[in-house]
């Protein structure tokens, strides 16, 4: 008559079970770590795309609501055009925009002077609390987007022709100070996304 095997585990069986459990645990932690890393990367990607979209939307609102209101230069009282893009100047874009919300009913205009420039790889939006600033009136700067390499504008002047500066050449006098384009092409070059283009129609 054969002997019945004891129900207890041998030491070797216990060690083998522990080894298998340890291997499975390591594999589970590796999968979990990779999943968390992928989730972090996805979150960063979504945050970046959201920031790009918000920046484009802000630029779009400022351009589509461009108003024919020039401003006075605080240094020499000359007239600065309602919309200005000129090479070699401090700002990539200057524009007077309408539709500045005033929920508190403050004694100020509903138009706002804004400007854009790139500083240390960051896209800045600047705005003034008054339309005709004095020398002591500093703009308020907001960082919209980081890792920006360049920003450029083109303006449709009709007959299939575009210009990279505004007011366009050949327009002078009071017309140059108030004239607005009907269509603007924005090109934003980012370090990680490359070149992005958007078109904005200026409200008549």
């Amino acid at each position: 008559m054969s002997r019945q095997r004891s129900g207890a585990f041998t030491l070797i069986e216990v060690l083998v079970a522990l080894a298998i459990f340890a291997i499975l645990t390591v594999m589970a932690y590796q999968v979990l770590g990779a999943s968390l890393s992928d989730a972090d990367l996805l979150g960063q990607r979504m945050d970046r795309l959201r920031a790009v979209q918000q920046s484009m939307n802000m630029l779009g609102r400022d351009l589509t609501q461009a108003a024919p209101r020039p401003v006075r230069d605080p240094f020499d009282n000359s007239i600065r055009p309602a919309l200005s893009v000129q090479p070699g100047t401090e700002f990539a874009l200057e524009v007077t925009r309408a539709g500045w919300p005033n929920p508190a009913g403050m004694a100020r205009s509903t138009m706002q002077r804004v400007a854009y420039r790139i500083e240390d790889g960051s896209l800045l939006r600047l705005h003034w609390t008054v339309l005709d600033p004095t020398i002591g009136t500093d703009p308020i700067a907001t960082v919209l987007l980081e890792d920006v390499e360049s920003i450029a504008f083109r303006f449709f002047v009709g007959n299939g022709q575009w210009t990279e500066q505004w007011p366009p050449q050949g327009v002078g006098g009071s017309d140059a100070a108030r004239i607005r384009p009907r269509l603007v092409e924005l090109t934003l070059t980012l370090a990680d996304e490359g070149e992005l283009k958007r078109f904005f129609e200026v409200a008549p």
Side-chain angles (χ1 to χ4, degrees):
M1 189 173 180
S2 62
R3 297 175 58 186
Q4 294 291 329
R5 183 183 176 183
S6 172
F9 291 105
T10 66
L11 178 59
I12 293 178
E13 289 174 332
V14 171
L15 292 176
V16 170
L18 289 175
I20 294 173
F21 177 77
I23 293 172
L24 293 176
T25 301
V26 169
M27 293 175 61
Y29 273 112
Q30 289 176 341
V31 172
L32 178 61
S35 299
L36 292 176
S37 179
D38 290 343
D40 288 341
L41 291 175
L42 180 60
Q44 293 173 10
R45 174 68 174 166
M46 294 301 296
D47 290 342
R48 176 64 168 173
L49 293 178
R50 190 179 301 111
V52 171
Q53 186 64 40
Q54 290 174 346
S55 300
M56 287 288 197
N57 290 341
M58 179 65 74
L59 276 157
R61 285 194 295 269
D62 288 341
L63 287 168
T64 56
Q65 298 187 68
R69 201 313 192 158
V71 298
R72 288 194 302 271
D73 190 292
F75 297 99
D76 57 13
N77 282 326
S78 62
I79 296 298
R80 305 181 78 159
L83 192 153
S84 177
V85 173
Q86 299 291 335
T89 57
E90 180 183 3
F91 302 113
L93 167 74
E94 284 187 82
V95 61
T96 302
R97 60 157 292 178
W100 187 16
N102 190 10
M106 300 174 62
R108 63 163 174 81
S109 173
T110 56
M111 289 188 289
Q112 182 185 52
R113 187 69 173 182
V114 301
Y116 288 85
R117 73 179 176 207
I118 296 175
E119 188 174 299
D120 297 328
S122 296
L123 177 63
L124 303 183
R125 180 184 187 269
L126 303 98
H127 76 272
W128 286 261
T129 56
V130 294
L131 282 175
D132 298 300
T134 62
I135 294 178
T137 306
D138 295 325
I140 299 171
T142 303
V143 177
L144 293 184
L145 196 61
E146 297 180 343
D147 295 327
V148 179
E149 294 183 349
S150 66
I151 184 171
F153 300 90
R154 289 202 313 158
F155 306 94
F156 185 68
V157 294
N159 298 323
Q161 300 297 313
W162 293 79
T163 179
E164 294 181 355
Q165 69 177 52
W166 198 268
Q169 292 181 343
V171 179
S174 60
D175 289 340
R178 296 180 177 275
I179 190 173
R180 295 170 298 163
R182 292 304 308 275
L183 185 66
V184 182
E185 178 193 76
L186 163 66
T187 302
L188 194 63
T189 305
L190 308 180
D192 53 349
E193 300 292 337
E195 193 175 272
L196 305 175
K197 288 184 181 291
R198 289 279 297 273
F199 292 88
F200 301 103
E201 185 177 2
V202 180

